[in-house]
Amino acid sequence: MTVRPSARFLTATAGVSLLLASCAVGPKAPDATLPPSASGVFIGASAPGVTAQAVARDDWWRLYDDAVLDDLVGQALTNNNELEAAAANLRRVRAALGEARVGRFPGTTPSATYQRSRPSAATVPGLPAGTEAPEVESYDAGLDVSYEVDLFGRVESTIRAARADAAAAEAALDIVRVTVAAETARAYADACSANAQIAVAERTVQLQTDTVGLTQRLLDAGSGNGLDTARARSALESTRASLPPLRAQRDGALFRLATLTGRTPAEASNAARACRRPPQLSQPIPVGDGAQLLARRPDVRQAERNLAAAAARVNVATADLFPRITLGGSAGATAGAADGLGDSENFRFSFGPLISWSFPNVFAARARIEQASAGSDAALATFDQTVLAALQETETALTNYANELDRRTALQSARDQAANAARLSRLRFDAGADSFLTVLDAERTLAGADAALAASDALVTTYQIALFKALAGGWSDEG
């Protein structure tokens, strides 16, 4: 419904509206505070291999001092298609913010028309019968201006929501950067680790091939038996069977790496294919504390900005309960000939405020407010959950890393003991003190210990990268 009060009332209303413009209505943004326990030192920060005395680095992959890894991460951050899509989405949302900001300014609509017409003779008084009405030309040029007085903050709340959306989209881009950097390092490390495990398996194959040759020579000389030879061949074939899955694992990692760096599988990195050892750290990982983590995590920033946008949209919906006041004006000229548009007597103008109020639809407005309020409550819950998930992910990464370091130390000791046992069993067999079954068992144990240690080396690097990812390294432009 449109209401048109008296000019005096409208003039007074317009004056007050200009003074009170941008006075927002509706609730304030929910309190997105962090629990005190979220800001302190991490539970796992005292474990070996990490330090809370230094802040986590954005360019964490440089701690490995691996030129190939540095180059691959740089390629991924430049060429990755998911990053390109996220950057395009950010441009789209920023353009929407620019559109929202236009609401602060008057809207202008220039116009220019030309019309040639001839009325019906019956409509022209005094025209003789049988005579055609004269043709008439009309020229018009003008400018219409309208400006919404933001008395109840609808425009400013819309801008705040759009600004928060843009910040959330920027955080979403940073989330993709974190993921791309971590997944690139992980794919490279997986390729290197697979090659390391392949090398261990190939050394074991060589050792077991020698053992098969020994048992065959003993059998041919009449001092051995077929059972020992069969057992040795079985162990050899079992080790050979472990090679194809490892090669498939390496190739899969190389193909992932190619995709992450914006290349086809046929263009997979030759440098990564040639890598024989997973990246190694020579210093503790700097982790900082909980407060620094939550300030760095782009998913936390995204959730907080989504919460701010949802709260602003509650204000937008609430403003619909109140009248909209628009100041409008029009100026121009209308003439019968183009050269008459500049004559003062052909000048026209109009000015006046307009109050529009859709109060018969108040129930629909209140339903929109309820929808927006529910969205704000959901955004607050999402923020709280994002904070908890960030802390949980980091603490889990810390404990996984610390415990795998302990496991690797134990596996290294076990491997050393297995190697010594294999050496001694071979010496005792050569001296006739032990059976060949003892040698075979010792070599099988050594092969298992070598494989377990190589797998643990791979897990250590995987958990390191998971920790770096949890610490949100790789999202800043400096990184």
Side-chain angles (χ1 to χ4, degrees):
M1 181 179 108
T2 301
V3 183
R4 296 183 181 275
S6 67
R8 180 179 297 177
F9 173 78
L10 288 175
T11 302
T13 302
V16 173
S17 299
L18 288 171
L19 291 175
L20 299 180
S22 302
C23 180
V25 294
K28 295 182 179 179
D31 187 16
T33 57
L34 301 175
S37 58
S39 304
V41 177
F42 296 118
I43 297 172
S46 59
V50 301
T51 175
Q53 305 305 313
V55 179
R57 287 178 53 167
D58 294 333
D59 58 343
W60 52 266
W61 55 88
R62 301 188 192 282
L63 294 174
Y64 286 106
D65 195 23
D66 187 320
V68 174
L69 177 58
D70 293 347
D71 180 62
L72 289 170
V73 173
Q75 290 181 40
L77 293 178
T78 302
N79 302 325
N80 184 268
N81 292 307
E82 290 185 14
L83 265 176
E84 185 176 346
N89 184 62
L90 176 58
R91 293 196 302 271
R92 178 186 62 80
V93 176
R94 283 177 173 170
L97 172 59
E99 180 182 5
R101 283 173 172 162
V102 172
R104 289 174 172 166
F105 306 102
T108 59
T109 307
S111 63
T113 61
Y114 163 75
Q115 183 176 353
R116 184 180 181 88
S117 63
R118 185 180 68 186
S120 170
T123 64
V124 180
L127 188 68
T131 304
E132 292 183 349
E135 294 184 0
V136 178
E137 290 186 331
S138 174
Y139 294 83
D140 184 89
L143 177 68
D144 295 333
V145 180
S146 64
Y147 173 69
E148 180 180 347
V149 180
D150 197 20
L151 179 61
F152 301 105
R154 188 189 70 83
V155 174
E156 282 302 319
S157 295
T158 300
I159 293 172
R160 285 202 306 275
R163 186 183 297 117
D165 285 341
E170 185 175 356
L173 174 60
D174 293 338
I175 291 172
V176 179
R177 284 195 182 114
V178 169
T179 302
V180 166
E183 291 307 312
T184 300
R186 181 175 296 164
Y188 173 68
D190 286 349
C192 296
S193 297
N195 277 334
Q197 293 176 75
I198 289 171
V200 168
E202 287 175 342
R203 287 197 301 271
T204 302
V205 164
Q206 184 58 52
L207 174 63
Q208 291 174 338
T209 299
D210 294 342
T211 300
V212 169
L214 172 62
T215 58
Q216 186 64 49
R217 287 193 298 273
L218 291 175
L219 179 62
D220 294 341
S223 58
N225 61 75
L227 179 60
D228 289 343
T229 302
R231 284 171 172 167
R233 290 188 182 279
S234 175
L236 172 60
E237 295 306 321
S238 295
T239 303
R240 280 179 174 161
S242 69
L243 284 168
L246 291 173
R247 292 181 180 127
Q249 179 181 326
R250 176 198 59 200
D251 292 344
L254 290 172
F255 299 154
R256 291 200 331 265
L257 188 58
T259 301
L260 286 161
T261 54
R263 302 178 184 278
T264 64
E267 300 173 297
S269 170
N270 289 325
R273 185 181 294 277
C275 176
R276 291 292 179 267
R277 184 188 185 196
Q280 304 292 310
L281 286 177
S282 60
Q283 58 183 292
I285 297 176
V287 297
D289 57 27
Q292 293 166 345
L293 168 74
L294 297 177
R296 290 170 55 83
R297 290 272 301 214
D299 55 342
V300 174
R301 288 189 289 111
Q302 182 188 38
E304 190 274 330
R305 289 292 82 201
N306 284 337
L307 175 59
R313 289 190 173 92
V314 175
N315 292 337
V316 173
T318 304
D320 285 340
L321 289 173
F322 301 92
R324 291 191 188 183
I325 301 173
T326 303
L327 301 179
S330 175
T334 303
D339 55 5
L341 291 175
D343 297 341
S344 60
E345 65 270 18
N346 294 328
F347 178 71
R348 59 174 174 78
F349 75 91
S350 65
F351 175 80
L354 171 68
I355 294 180
S356 59
W357 193 6
S358 58
F359 67 86
N361 296 323
V362 65
F363 296 108
R366 291 193 181 279
R368 289 193 294 270
I369 292 172
E370 184 62 28
Q371 293 175 44
S373 297
S376 180
D377 292 343
L380 178 59
T382 299
F383 172 80
D384 291 340
Q385 182 61 24
T386 302
V387 169
L388 294 177
L391 294 170
Q392 175 258 321
E393 183 181 344
T394 304
E395 292 288 8
T396 300
L398 282 167
T399 192
N400 284 343
Y401 179 45
N403 283 285
E404 191 59 35
L405 286 177
D406 291 342
R407 177 172 176 268
R408 185 176 67 174
T409 298
L411 286 173
Q412 181 64 61
S413 177
R415 190 270 168 200
D416 292 343
Q417 293 300 321
N420 189 45
R423 180 182 62 83
L424 293 175
S425 66
R426 179 60 66 93
L427 291 174
R428 290 176 60 83
F429 173 75
D430 291 342
D434 274 335
S435 69
F436 180 74
L437 183 60
T438 302
V439 175
L440 193 61
D441 183 63
E443 289 182 351
R444 185 183 296 113
T445 300
L446 175 58
D450 278 334
L453 180 58
S456 181
D457 282 337
L459 268 180
V460 165
T461 305
T462 296
Y463 288 146
Q464 286 172 350
I465 295 170
L467 178 56
F468 285 127
K469 182 181 179 183
L471 295 170
W475 63 267
S476 76
D477 292 335
E478 290 78 13

